[in-house]
Amino acid sequence: MMMHPSASPLLTNALCLILLAATLPSAARGEDDRRPVVVHFRGGAADTLKVDKYDRDHRIFRFKDGKTRLEHDVRTIAALSFEVHASPIDTSDGAHDLLIMNDGRRLGGYFRGLSDDKVRFCEARVGERTAGSRSVELVRGEVQRIVFGREVLDVDRHDYGTEFNVLGDELEIALAVSFSNEIAAGAAVLQDSLVSAYVNDLGQRIAAASQRPEIEYSFTVLNSRTVNAFTSGGGQVFIYRGLIECMGSEAELAGVIAHEVGHIVGKHTARALTNQLILAGIVGGGAELLGGDNEKRRAAIQEAGGAIAFLRQMQYSRDDEREADFLAVYSLYRLGYDPTAMAGVFDTFRKLGGDPSQLEVFFQDHPAPAERIENTSAELPKLNLTGLRSDSAAFVAVKERLAGLEYPLLSESLGKVETMVAASAKEVFNIQISSEGASESTLVARLEALGGSGNDVRVLLFDEDNYLNWSNGHKAEALFDGGQTTVTQLQAKVVPGRKYVLVLDNSFSWMAEKRVVGELFVQYRE
């Protein structure tokens, strides 16, 4: 029976030991010299086989029985005995694997790999779950038996974040904080204590249930309709308000946040940034990074365009995305959330796929939703899904709070105005409103006229059709007519995607030209 996640012990630091000894290299031994092991299957059957390989990514043992090749999922095996005439198998506490050493020691923890020479294992104290700790290598000849815990999750039988990157934990975290500060300075951060506290609390619980709980995490909500979330690595996660509003339950939101935490666990950002540094010429072919000086590394990144430029160019591999989804499923499960919510998230993305303005960024760096549903659904039969939750009153309250909050007023410059309007003439400016994602915008400007006895000019704004009528002497309706003034405060509602015409009219002045200066802005809410 699978142990319910609510009964799982709290996360703690693990005690990991490295036992090293000289052994004969596997390449020096003939394949036929591999010692047989006794494979004890769940249900009581046993067989004497030779281990050909252990596939750590898929947690599958490949055995040889003479010329026959066999495959068995580790979850179908109760124990491996390296002594053919070993006594009946011991049992573990179910939540951990157990190593029985030749000297009588019994080590509880998690099995993570087997080669000809070594057993990869991470030790945990009795009653504790190890998260994020690296595997260590023990000499296979010193191990008598491996007993596999029935309730050990697949996520615990793997190492994460071990692939090559040049940063190291200290620099990864320092850069992530620096990047996050730059992002927050240039973006609209949601200023609402209820929403921010809720998202931070949810994120911190997810981080604590992850495979990398030992670093500090920060969760920031950006006040934008964008349907996405991202991480700059090193514990820094950003969630767009638009994503929260699209989620159907707390479990769905938790799944997206857990996915981003999965990128941090796998150190995918650090590895992707390493690739970007190499492409930028900051890291050489030998992966040296400016002599190991962290300040020089930061300076080099800034010179290469800064944090945001690097993050925009950085890409995760599809395998990174799959691993992040895999980690998210188990983080949800450990917290007592129904991990089937992940499929709900992907289905939401698929339904919204017709709106590229919302999902363009998401689909650039993630596998297709259908593939992600298939991948995460493959993990569900391994879990006991009885009694898990999907939603909370707090999530409902946050959604209601967001529904009552306006999006921030954004302002975009359309350009400066500095022109001479001849006597008895008009100057005309064509304006294209392109504030993407906005349902309504406002054109604003402060325009000042200089010259002549009155220091004045008449400012008008038309849509395209009305301008044609007005310019040909026909009846027309201006969106704005400021009259003859020295300072004109223009403000008019405009529609994104449409064209408008700004007219500076000096036709009433027969002799004096006018100099007009100012700047045009479009203000809008997403």
Side-chain angles (χ1 to χ4, degrees), residues 18-66:
I18 302 179
L19 303 179
L20 301 175
T23 59
L24 184 66
S26 59
R29 298 197 304 268
E31 188 174 290
D32 293 337
D33 292 334
R34 289 174 178 164
R35 294 172 57 193
V37 299
V38 178
V39 185
H40 303 268
F41 295 99
R42 300 203 183 280
D47 202 355
T48 301
L49 304 169
K50 291 182 179 181
V51 179
D52 184 42
K53 181 182 179 182
Y54 176 68
D55 182 343
R56 287 191 295 162
D57 291 334
H58 300 93
R59 294 157 294 281
I60 291 174
F61 279 101
R62 293 187 171 91
F63 298 104
K64 295 184 71 174
D65 184 9

Side-chain angles (χ1 to χ4, degrees), residues 386-437:
T386 304
L388 301 180
R389 68 184 187 278
S390 294
D391 217 342
S392 74
F395 176 76
V396 174
V398 163
K399 293 259 288 191
E400 291 175 352
R401 179 62 164 261
L402 289 174
L405 296 178
E406 279 194 322
Y407 276 91
L409 186 64
L410 304 177
S411 183
E412 178 184 342
S413 175
L414 298 179
K416 293 185 180 297
V417 174
E418 187 170 352
T419 187
M420 296 297 297
V421 186
S424 302
K426 306 179 184 73
E427 284 288 325
V428 175
F429 297 86
N430 293 306
I431 301 171
Q432 175 74 52
I433 305 299
S434 60
S435 44
E436 187 176 338

Side-chain angles (χ1 to χ4, degrees), residues 329 339-340 342-343 346 370-382:
V329 166
T340 59
M342 292 289 290
F346 306 142
E371 178 188 340
R372 299 178 75 184
I373 291 173
E374 182 179 352
N375 292 341
T376 54
S377 296
E379 300 301 317
L380 301 181
K382 307 173 186 177

Side-chain angles (χ1 to χ4, degrees), residues 232-270:
S232 60
Q236 305 296 311
V237 179
F238 291 86
I239 303 99
Y240 287 97
R241 171 181 171 180
L243 175 77
I244 301 173
E245 292 176 325
C246 280
M247 294 295 96
S249 69
E250 183 172 270
E252 289 188 5
L253 176 60
V256 176
I257 296 175
H259 174 90
E260 299 307 324
V261 171
H263 282 309
I264 296 170
V265 170
K267 301 183 182 178
H268 301 155
T269 306

Side-chain angles (χ1 to χ4, degrees), residues 481-494:
D481 186 347
Q484 293 176 218
T485 57
T486 298
V487 175
T488 301
Q489 298 283 359
L490 185 156
Q491 184 168 325
K493 296 291 185 182
V494 291

Side-chain angles (χ1 to χ4, degrees), residues 313-330:
Q313 297 176 57
M314 189 176 64
Q315 290 186 339
Y316 296 132
S317 70
R318 292 300 177 98
D319 285 341
D320 289 344
E321 296 295 348
R322 294 182 186 101
E323 182 174 80
D325 283 341
F326 172 80
L327 288 163
V329 166
Y330 285 95

